[in-house]
Amino acid sequence: MLLETTCGRGQSIFAFLAPPRANEVRVKIKYTALYHTDVYFWEAKGQTPLFPRIFGHEAAKVVESVGDGVKNLKPGDHVLPVFTGECGDCMHCKYEGSNMCDLLRINTDRGVMIGDGKQRFSKNGTPINHFLGTSTFSEYTVIHEGCLAKIDPSTPLDKVCILSCGVSTGLGATLNVVKPKKGSSVAVFGLGAVGLAAAEGARISGASRIIGVDLNPKRFEEATNFGVNEFMNPRDHIKPVQEIIAEMTNGGVDRSVECSGNINSIISAFECVHDGWGVAVLVGVPSPDAIFMTKPINVLNERTLKGTFFGNYKPRTDLPSVVDMYMNKVEKFITHRVPFSEINKAFDYMVKEEGLRCIISMEEKLLSVHN
């Protein structure tokens, strides 16, 4: 299949996409969105560059064809791709509290399909690498069946696509991992889409005090729509953020969620929770070289630090229920829409921190598919 795609920011290109092989599914992408992870790896910061590569991992799709062995999907099904999968057979998949699938766990360095170690994309015979097993900046893509969650076909694809990564990650971090009690206090570090989804999870849980921490004061006004009722800009204070929060909350917040990946923010998120019962969850991904440092007494005094990928949701098992629960509220995350031919605008919005999510429509493009 000859199709239109892009290897990141820049002009679209025509590339060849092979049919799906065993346990793989070829899908037609209707809508996709740009996420910080795509920009981070496109800029090749903090990792070994792997180019050429087709980025993108937040999307909504329709199954076009399936390979041998695919049991749970058929052409015409509506699906969401997920960067970390669920094979259903490994120890992690069978363990109720884990979504770290042995076979399909996130691997940012892998540019090939798991089945045979080869790419499905190519141009003039030269292979083009995959990204997070999804590569959604393309009209069609091939994905392992275990990384696709089947959803209700009546769900609007131009909205639900953002639940395939960031929003679900933030919601799950709060609802599934830190689990704030009704009337409790929660601090959210980083008020991008993931952080605001985490705040939304705190609001749903009944937290009465939700403190948003961000260096960008422009985030504060829109954060009120997601349950945040107090704000803090670290630049406004001489003392460390954790000390200010401890003073504000009589010893610390009950829960905190760190969504920026900044190592200093991670330390603050851990040290700002109350001793005896405080729990902090790490969502943002720090630099591979970052080192977490805190005094051992902070651990001995019964503060807990947890980590999470995709909010502890098992993609195929849990994502359909997340869609049912939150579908009617996702619109407030969507601040921009562009056709695929103007994908560079989405990069500009992200880099300039304008808005939350930009939906990229594959239906509105200048070029068409050629079979």
Side-chain angles (χ1 to χ4, degrees):
M1 173 186 287
L2 187 66
L3 50 81
E4 184 185 2
T5 183
T6 179
C7 290
R9 185 167 185 159
Q11 296 295 319
S12 61
I13 62 172
F14 281 116
F16 178 77
L17 179 64
R21 299 186 183 179
N23 302 312
E24 295 174 359
V25 179
R26 189 160 68 183
V27 292
K28 178 177 176 61
I29 299 169
K30 295 289 189 177
Y31 299 92
T32 186
L34 182 65
Y35 186 49
H36 279 287
T37 304
D38 301 303
V39 177
Y40 179 81
F41 281 89
W42 165 66
E43 292 178 332
K45 291 181 177 179
Q47 12 77 29
T48 303
L50 183 61
F51 297 114
R53 196 174 201 180
I54 297 174
F55 293 101
H57 65 287
E58 272 193 351
K61 315 176 178 188
V62 176
V63 174
E64 181 264 347
S65 58
V66 301
D68 293 340
V70 174
K71 301 176 182 178
N72 300 310
L73 295 172
K74 64 182 185 304
D77 284 344
H78 288 200
V79 292
L80 296 180
V82 181
F83 62 86
T84 186
E86 180 184 355
C87 73
D89 296 322
C90 70
M91 290 181 62
H92 281 278
C93 286
K94 292 179 179 179
Y95 184 76
E96 183 179 356
S98 175
N99 66 349
M100 303 295 288
C101 176
D102 286 333
L103 178 65
L104 301 171
R105 183 180 304 188
I106 180 175
N107 184 339
T108 58
D109 295 327
R110 185 175 62 236
V112 297
M113 299 299 292
I114 288 177
D116 59 3
K118 297 180 179 179
Q119 298 90 341
R120 299 294 175 263
F121 293 102
S122 63
K123 181 174 175 60
N124 298 327
T126 301
I128 300 176
N129 291 296
H130 298 253
F131 178 63
L132 298 182
T134 54
S135 293
T136 63
F137 292 168
S138 175
E139 292 181 299
Y140 288 82
T141 189
V142 171
I143 298 177
H144 192 285
E145 178 189 19
C147 293
L148 291 168
K150 184 178 177 180
I151 60 173
D152 187 331
S154 66
T155 305
L157 296 180
D158 64 331
K159 299 177 183 178
V160 73
C161 58
I162 65 172
L163 287 177
S164 67
C165 181
V167 174
S168 294
T169 295
L171 278 173
T174 308
L175 297 176
N176 299 334
V177 186
V178 298
K179 301 177 180 178
K181 296 180 180 179
K182 186 175 181 180
S184 62
S185 58
V186 179
V188 179
F189 289 74
L191 298 179
V194 177
L196 294 179
E200 189 85 309
R203 182 191 62 78
I204 293 171
S205 299
S208 60
R209 195 172 183 182
I210 304 174
I211 304 169
V213 183
D214 201 292
L215 296 175
N216 184 355
K218 294 180 181 179
R219 296 287 193 199
F220 295 164
E221 183 176 351
E222 63 189 1
T224 59
N225 297 321
F226 298 86
V228 179
N229 47 35
E230 295 182 55
F231 307 97
M232 176 181 294
N233 186 336
R235 290 173 177 159
D236 294 337
H237 303 275
I238 298 176
K239 292 182 179 180
V241 175
Q242 54 268 42
E243 293 184 17
I244 301 297
I245 292 179
E247 293 172 0
M248 293 168 55
T249 56
N250 191 28
V253 289
D254 301 305
R255 301 289 187 265
S256 72
V257 187
E258 204 296 314
C259 301
S260 74
N262 177 278
I263 188 60
N264 292 322
S265 179
I266 293 170
I267 294 170
S268 294
F270 173 63
E271 294 184 354
C272 82
V273 297
H274 207 291
D275 59 3
W277 62 81
V279 178
V281 62
L282 172 58
V283 180
V285 181
S287 164
D289 297 325
I291 298 176
F292 176 82
M293 297 180 65
T294 191
K295 294 179 180 179
I297 193 65
N298 289 323
V299 179
L300 289 172
N301 284 343
E302 300 181 13
R303 293 179 177 88
T304 300
L305 177 65
K306 295 184 176 183
T308 179
F309 270 118
F310 197 54
N312 263 47
Y313 287 122
K314 292 180 182 290
R316 291 197 292 173
T317 299
D318 298 330
L319 195 50
S321 62
V322 176
V323 172
D324 292 342
M325 173 190 73
Y326 200 69
M327 185 60 231
N328 292 332
K329 299 176 183 177
V330 298
E331 182 111 34
K332 57 187 177 181
F333 285 94
I334 302 170
T335 53
H336 299 88
R337 293 179 180 272
V338 298
F340 182 50
S341 59
E342 298 179 5
I343 189 173
N344 283 350
K345 287 186 178 180
F347 276 83
D348 290 336
Y349 294 141
M350 180 69 71
V351 172
K352 295 177 181 177
E353 295 188 354
E354 296 180 3
L356 295 175
R357 276 292 183 272
C358 178
I359 303 300
I360 302 163
S361 173
M362 308 301 292
E363 303 287 276
E364 304 171 51
K365 54 188 178 57
L366 300 179
L367 304 176
S368 59
V369 175
H370 296 270
N371 292 308

